Structures are given as structure tokens and as C-alpha cells.
Amino acid sequence: MKVLEIIPTLNKIGGGETFFTDLCIKMNKKVKLFVVVLYKSNNNFLNKLIKESGIEIIYLNKKRGIDIRCAHELRKAISLFKPDVIHCHLRSLLTLRLSFLFKRKIPIFFTVHNIFGENFKNEWLDSILIRKRFVIPVGVCNEVSKSIKRHTGVDSRTIYNGLNVEKYDAGKKINERTIDFIVVGSFYYLKNQIYAIKCFERIAETNPNLNIHFLGDGSDLTVCKEYVKTKNIKNVYFHGVVNNVNEFLADSKILLLPSLTEANPICVHEAIVSGCYIISNNVGGVGELVNKRNGKLVRINDYESFCTAMLSSINDNYLLEETRKYSEETRESHSINYSLLQYLDLFKDF
């Protein structure tokens, strides 16, 4: 089987991009794989991982907005590679549609990484192409698949995200871990990091030795840093973009997910296989990953309950240690291998 994987960019270190990279590396061992990245590379570690894995990859150096030249280059790549299957991710459908000036003869699968319908401005074309059966949608969790059905009337297969679990280690016991709370994700308003900071500020008033660490970069990072500085909150650490998230999580007790919206976040998979307890707003498909044995779900904007969950959990070593042990039981269900087999089965059906 010849599979063409398409993604807009790997320059952003997000969950979708991380999943894409892990999937391609594993898939390359099973099929003849060709990867197209629409925008140019900034040569970060995700781009390097793809190249170092021996995967054939091209960058089309797309311009922002509608780029006819890029669509033409994509059409040439498709004609050259002659794939049996095209699999695209994130905001790549417009360029892909423009590249097809002839009747589509190749099955095209589109993995939807977010709750569908929350951003009409970016999804109106996707919605049309799904309804017209130009692409076959795949939801990364049941909630995403339900949202696709609500907005397009089209049923979709659910295939959960996975990751390279071999990189993650839950072996370090809780009382040996030095990071109390960790937040992983790009800094922008939907990720809501300022909420986690304010909750930490509240519980740190009576627990001054606690610490919280943030991984990621983005437009709201400056705002968060300024708030911490203005309020003189101690033990708050910003690490920016890192390529060793696994090492941070292996030394962390609790992952906080204060997001206003999520689908099937990779950081939750990472936290689970690292033995971390999870406190999250109950949004999107997070409830399909977090249960009473590995975390706590809180109503969105329920500040008191989020603070209470943080305080009660960090002081309960038995709970946290049992969570760490439980992670070993569920480890393989979060593996990229599990996701890959389902995608290959889906491709073969067409």
C-alpha cells in the first residue's frame, strides 16, 4: 500500500503535529509512505524526526491564504507518487481540494483533531467536503465523531490518538518526583493557562512549598508571565518549547488541563503513561480518557472545585501512587501501534 500523508506544518509543537509525527514514523515500517508538508520547515525537532526516520518528505512552501501555486505543486506530488490512499490532517483540505482539477479517484481520509463546529470560520469548507463525500472523516474520540455527525450528517470512524509509549516512564515513585503540577500546551486563550496560575496562586497561599511548571510557547505566554511577576507568585516555572516532555512528566505528580475546549489531547495520553494524576476541565473527549482511577474532572469555570481538587490530590500520596501503578495496566491502549493498526484496517476497507 502507498500512503500519502499531508499536514499544513510541523513547525508548531502541538498534539496534532506530535501524533502525526509518531504515526508517520510507525507507518513507514508498514507501507510505502510519502509525506507532504504544505508550509516550509523551521527545522525543529519534529521535522528532524521525520527526516531522520528515512521518510520521503517534501515541503511546498505555501503562502498564507489561497495559494494556487502550492495546490499545483501538491497535484504534481500526487501524480508522481500515485498513492492508493491520501490521509490529511488539520487545515489542509482547501489546498488539497484546489489540487484536484479532475474527478477524485483516490480515497481521501481526513482526521478531525478538534470538536467539529466550534470554529465555523475555519471549518465551513471542511463541512462541505465531508457532506459531499470528497473526504472520509475520522474522529480522534467519540465526542469528535458525534460533533461531525451533528454538523454534517455523516458518520465517521473513531480512532483514538496514540503515542510512542516506549519514550515514557512511570517508574519513578510519587514521593521521588519533584514537580507538583505541570501544564503542557501552547499558550493561547483556549488553553487557559492563566486559570491554572490563578488556582495555583490560591492554594499556594497556605502551601508555599508547592511548585507548578509550564511547557509550551504562544501568544498568551507574556500575559501569564506578567501576571506571575505582578502578583509575586513563587515557584512558577516557564520552560518554553522542549523536546523532552517525557522527562518532565516522569518527574511530575499531577497534570493540570484548564482548557476551554479539547478533543483527545496528546498531553493527557502522555500524562497517563507517565503515571501522573490528571485534573481537567470536563470538556470534549477528555472524559473518555480520565476516570476515577487516574484523575478528576471538574465543571468548566468551577474555580472552587478546581482548587479543591488540586489541594486534596497533592496531599494524598496514596491516591497519586495508586494512579501511577494503574498507568501500567492501561499503557498499551495509548500506544501509537494501536492507532496505526486501526488506520491501516480503515485504509484497506477502501
Side-chain angles (χ1 to χ4, degrees):
M1 183 186 297
K2 297 171 71 176
V3 178
L4 173 61
E5 291 279 346
I6 304 174
I7 195 167
T9 180
L10 290 173
N11 297 340
K12 176 186 175 185
I13 313 298
E17 292 80 7
T18 301
F19 168 73
F20 177 89
T21 302
D22 284 343
L23 181 68
C24 287
I25 290 171
K26 290 291 183 180
M27 188 180 293
N28 191 47
K29 299 176 182 179
K30 300 286 186 180
V31 302
K32 176 63 177 175
L33 182 67
F34 189 69
V35 170
V36 170
V37 179
L38 300 184
Y39 287 91
K40 66 181 180 180
S41 168
N42 68 358
N43 210 31
N44 68 5
F45 71 92
L46 290 184
N47 289 282
K48 289 178 180 178
L49 280 175
I50 291 281
K51 295 173 184 176
E52 291 170 358
S53 298
I55 295 171
E56 192 171 356
I57 182 172
I58 63 170
Y59 299 88
L60 300 185
N61 300 323
K62 183 182 181 300
K63 298 178 182 178
R64 293 182 66 85
I66 296 175
D67 187 338
I68 300 300
R69 181 207 59 81
C70 181
H72 178 67
E73 291 299 316
L74 178 56
R75 184 168 68 252
K76 288 200 301 186
I78 293 170
S79 299
L80 178 66
F81 185 62
K82 296 181 173 60
D84 300 303
V85 167
I86 294 174
H87 183 202
C88 52
H89 303 252
L90 303 169
R91 298 179 61 187
S92 53
L93 284 190
L94 175 58
T95 303
L96 182 61
R97 182 67 187 92
L98 291 173
S99 72
F100 278 91
L101 301 181
F102 49 89
K103 185 176 180 181
R104 178 179 64 82
K105 297 180 180 179
I106 305 168
I108 300 173
F109 299 88
F110 175 44
T111 293
V112 180
H113 289 269
N114 54 282
I115 301 298
F116 202 80
E118 291 186 341
N119 191 341
F120 177 78
K121 179 181 178 182
N122 294 329
E123 293 174 344
W124 66 270
L125 176 68
D126 299 351
S127 180
I128 293 172
L129 295 179
I130 290 172
R131 286 200 302 269
K132 296 290 186 181
R133 303 302 200 274
F134 177 77
V135 295
I136 303 155
V138 178
V140 296
C141 64
N142 288 331
E143 285 300 314
V144 168
S145 295
K146 290 176 185 176
S147 70
I148 295 170
K149 176 72 172 181
R150 282 196 305 271
H151 290 275
T152 68
V154 176
D155 292 318
S156 61
R157 180 81 64 90
T158 296
I159 300 179
Y160 285 90
N161 289 335
L163 43 82
N164 185 5
V165 295
E166 291 83 1
K167 294 194 306 182
Y168 299 86
D169 183 13
K172 183 182 282 190
K173 294 182 178 180
I174 292 300
N175 60 8
E176 298 172 349
R177 300 186 179 203
T178 62
I179 297 175
D180 295 315
F181 301 103
I182 190 167
V183 183
V184 180
S186 300
F187 279 78
Y188 73 108
Y189 76 101
L190 288 177
K191 294 298 182 180
N192 204 22
Q193 281 94 342
I194 193 68
Y195 186 80
I197 292 172
K198 290 178 179 179
C199 290
F200 178 78
E201 178 186 17
R202 167 77 173 273
I203 69 169
E205 291 175 357
T206 54
N207 296 266
N209 294 325
L210 295 177
N211 63 70
I212 185 168
H213 294 244
F214 290 85
L215 308 184
D217 199 354
S219 56
D220 280 5
L221 177 56
T222 301
V223 173
C224 290
K225 285 184 173 180
E226 283 298 320
Y227 183 88
V228 169
K229 182 178 179 181
T230 301
K231 294 287 188 173
N232 194 27
I233 309 171
K234 304 299 183 183
N235 301 328
V236 180
Y237 303 94
F238 298 96
H239 299 277
V241 175
V242 301
N243 60 5
N244 60 337
V245 175
N246 56 326
E247 294 176 14
F248 277 91
L249 288 170
D251 197 32
S252 299
K253 299 175 183 178
I254 298 174
L255 173 83
L256 302 181
L257 191 66
S259 301
L260 300 174
T261 181
E262 286 287 355
N264 190 246
I266 287 293
C267 67
V268 173
H269 290 275
E270 293 176 319
I272 290 172
V273 299
S274 301
C276 303
Y277 190 78
I278 298 149
I279 301 173
S280 173
N281 281 337
N282 191 5
V283 292
V286 177
E288 298 172 42
L289 300 174
V290 176
N291 57 54
K292 292 180 180 179
R293 295 190 66 182
N294 63 13
K296 174 76 172 177
L297 296 175
V298 180
R299 290 194 309 273
I300 195 167
N301 292 328
D302 189 345
Y303 175 77
E304 291 295 332
S305 295
F306 206 98
C307 291
T308 299
M310 289 174 65
L311 192 55
S312 62
S313 302
I314 199 63
N315 289 323
D316 191 343
N317 267 12
Y318 177 79
L319 171 69
L320 299 181
E321 184 61 24
E322 287 300 302
T323 297
R324 185 189 69 81
K325 294 176 182 177
Y326 175 62
S327 72
E328 295 293 340
E329 300 176 22
T330 59
R331 185 179 183 84
E332 283 308 309
S333 65
H334 299 276
S335 171
I336 193 67
N337 294 324
Y338 189 67
S339 300
L340 173 61
L341 291 176
Q342 292 180 82
Y343 274 110
L344 293 181
D345 286 343
L346 177 61
F347 295 164
K348 290 172 184 177
D349 287 345
F350 290 83

